[in-house]
Amino acid sequence: DIDQAKEALKLSVNCAILAQAGPQRSRMLATLYKDDRCRELPSWEILEATYMEKMILPPLRDAFAKGLQKHQLALTADGSTLLERAIVMHNMLAASRLYDNIGIDQLGAILGITSDRAEAIAAQMISERRMRGTIDQIHQAVEFHGATASEGALSRSDQQIHDACQHLNSIVEMLERSHPEWLSTQVS
């Protein structure tokens, strides 16, 4: 049913946006961003901003929040919602693409959180290898380390393989719809 598929796609986008920032989330966002059906969803604007690694500002965050379920807006142990936490971590990664280094106070101001919380989240993301960087506590700054050339090449290679698999999968699905009996004799 088309309505069920559209709802499942909408929920997939919501989950990808709410997921912890990092490589797995980036791969899922890429898959959803390339799915043309997502362009029709009310969450398209935030999906695009997230995929393009742009800073997500409060108006866009608040518009997205209106489409979330109650449990997705519940408070976590640190007093923030799942959405707030996801957006702060996403914006931290976006900042790491904009700056080579930044004072912890300035980072907190950009993220809309205290400097202590900004430092704690940066430390967590660095230790979990979801962001590359170091924290200079003497100078109260975060130094971001971009991806190395080999990691960038590997990422592009992984994306090309992923795209080829997606394309092959869509061809198999078309064959399955058009010629199910032929396909069942070929694939066993």
Side-chain angles (χ1 to χ4, degrees), residues 5-157:
K6 199 173 204 178
E7 182 65 17
L9 189 61
K10 175 186 158 205
L11 296 174
S12 296
V13 168
N14 290 356
C15 288
I17 290 169
L18 293 172
Q20 287 191 345
Q24 286 181 315
R25 176 181 183 242
S26 295
R27 285 191 292 276
M28 181 53 67
L29 290 169
T31 300
L32 291 166
Y33 180 77
K34 292 176 182 178
D35 189 326
D36 290 332
R37 298 171 298 173
C38 288
R39 295 180 192 276
E40 301 168 13
L41 298 174
S43 56
W44 169 252
E45 190 177 355
I46 195 166
L47 173 61
E48 182 176 40
T50 306
Y51 172 73
M52 301 299 270
E53 298 177 339
K54 295 179 179 177
M55 296 291 277
I56 297 175
L57 301 176
L60 185 55
R61 179 200 62 209
D62 296 343
F64 176 68
K66 291 177 184 173
L68 294 178
Q69 296 176 8
K70 200 176 203 176
H71 71 277
Q72 293 168 322
L73 297 171
L75 292 179
T76 61
D78 68 1
S80 65
T81 66
L82 191 60
L83 175 60
E84 291 166 345
R85 187 168 178 80
I87 297 299
V88 165
M89 288 185 176
H90 167 80
N91 285 346
M92 177 87 67
L93 279 178
S96 76
R97 309 266 190 292
L98 294 171
Y99 299 96
D100 290 330
N101 57 60
I102 187 171
I104 293 173
D105 288 342
Q106 290 84 9
L107 182 59
I110 288 171
L111 299 175
I113 58 177
T114 66
S115 58
D116 288 343
R117 187 155 178 244
E119 182 178 6
I121 291 172
Q124 176 187 2
M125 291 179 72
I126 291 167
S127 71
E128 292 173 351
R129 297 192 172 153
R130 291 187 286 130
M131 181 176 72
R132 295 190 58 198
T134 54
I135 297 174
D136 181 343
Q137 291 182 325
I138 294 172
H139 296 103
Q140 290 293 296
V142 178
E143 183 176 328
F144 298 112
H145 304 205
T148 65
S150 63
E151 287 173 329
L154 180 60
S155 178
R156 283 190 299 278
S157 174

